Amino acid sequence: MCGIVGLFLKNPALQPELGKHVETMLIGMTDRGPDSAGIAVYHSPVAGERCKLTLFNADTSYPWRALAGELGTDLNIEIDAEQRGNHALLTASATEADVIRWLKAKHPDVRIMGYGKLMEVYKDMGLPVDVAKRYGLAGMQGSHAIGHTRMATESAVTTEHSHPFTPAPDMCLVHNGSLSNHNNLRKWLRRHGQEFDTDNDSEVAARYFAHRLAEGATLNEALEAGLVDLDGFFTFTMGTKDGFAVLRDGVACKPAVLAENDDWVAMASEFRSLAYLPNIEKAKIWEPAPATVYSWSLH
């Protein structure tokens, strides 16, 4: 059992309040996931050829600035690093592919939690209220965010196994449920060039969707393909640079609630995480249908 939340702001005037509302939503899912929590926030885009990466090492005294200096020297690029908890936000005047390649070769002890031009991912062990405070979620502005609270059922309780999972730039996935064919699907995806960081079944789903998108599928087509290829029970919420999407399996035994008004669209595993959103009384509220893709976009 896990908890999922998502908030997509249609009204730009609300963007300064994004983190505050997502924090309340995330804490509302504590009973569904006290082991660990994570959030992906879409905000503060970097321009031009720059990229940003959210990095993790369990050592809170990890020498992030030394790493940044080494990276800048080796690739002859401009770098900035800002530590947040046991994470660091790294911005670089390079492609994320070049930075990721360097990190894997020179610093395999560093985990890459998220990357792209918009998305920052922070996830950690502990209660959602503590994780949210540790990374300053309430003060984050932006257009949309998704979050997850985890109660581990099929893999270890670690920061790496926490959600969201990032399989491609500015894309991430959170999952409530379990997949029964993830081992075979992981082998198939590896043969198609996908690399894995954990044994978590949710990472398999994330990389499956990334593979379908890389093949040229639209977001809706990729999610619909998952209804055929993914065996098990699931509610997925996917974040992209343009918005977010929600999908439940054909049985739909994992709970989900959607709400929408003129200012925002929100999703949560239970209504209690929607109850304090502004003007919730004016929102249309419904349970997403089984095997149906719901998506919203900024464009």
Side-chain angles (χ1 to χ4, degrees), residues 9 25-26 41 45 73 77 83 143 161 171 184 189 196 200 203 217 219 232 248 253 293-294 299:
L9 298 178
M25 296 171 72
L26 193 73
V41 180
T73 299
I77 58 176
Q83 183 171 355
S143 55
H161 284 86
M171 173 191 170
N184 287 334
L189 287 167
F196 289 82
N200 192 301
E203 185 185 4
L219 177 60
R248 303 171 81 194
C253 67
V293 176
Y294 296 86
H299 306 294

Side-chain angles (χ1 to χ4, degrees), residues 97-280:
D98 287 341
V99 177
I100 290 171
R101 190 179 304 113
W102 183 89
L103 286 168
K104 289 184 175 180
K106 294 295 187 72
H107 289 273
D109 56 331
V110 169
R111 291 295 187 116
I112 301 164
M113 298 306 201
Y115 57 94
K117 290 185 173 294
L118 273 171
M119 183 181 73
E120 297 173 19
V121 175
Y122 301 96
K123 54 184 185 176
D124 212 342
M125 294 181 289
L127 292 172
V129 64
D130 297 327
V131 174
K133 182 178 180 180
R134 193 173 302 146
Y135 297 100
L137 175 56
M140 293 184 186
Q141 305 183 17
S143 55
H144 55 295
I146 65 173
H148 186 271
T149 66
R150 184 168 186 244
M151 183 178 291
T153 58
E154 50 70 44
S155 56
V157 179
T158 69
T159 297
E160 294 92 333
H161 284 86
S162 305
H163 303 211
F165 286 98
T166 301
D170 290 320
M171 173 191 170
C172 67
L173 188 80
V174 294
H175 171 209
N176 177 25
S178 61
L179 303 179
S180 57
N181 66 333
H182 61 96
N183 286 325
N184 287 334
L185 195 54
R186 184 183 287 108
K187 295 175 184 177
W188 182 82
L189 287 167
R190 280 181 171 144
R191 291 197 296 270
H192 286 80
Q194 291 288 329
E195 298 179 1
F196 289 82
D197 298 319
T198 72
D199 59 355
N200 192 301
D201 63 336
S202 304
E203 185 185 4
V204 174
R207 297 196 181 278
Y208 169 83
F209 291 126
H211 172 72
R212 290 301 182 204
L213 290 167
E215 287 184 322
T218 65
L219 177 60
N220 282 27
E221 288 170 345
L223 289 167
E224 288 168 355
L227 292 168
V228 177
D229 293 332
L230 300 176
D231 290 335
F233 301 112
F234 52 79
T235 292
F236 293 128
T237 298
M238 181 188 294
T240 71
K241 66 178 181 179
D242 293 320
F244 85 118
V246 175
L247 176 68
R248 303 171 81 194
D249 64 78
V251 178
C253 67
K254 296 300 179 181
V257 181
L258 282 166
E260 181 174 12
N261 63 20
D262 291 339
D263 292 327
W264 48 259
V265 182
M267 178 271 175
S269 295
E270 298 179 29
F271 176 77
R272 57 181 161 167
S273 281
L274 306 177
Y276 299 100
L277 289 171
N279 296 317
I280 183 66

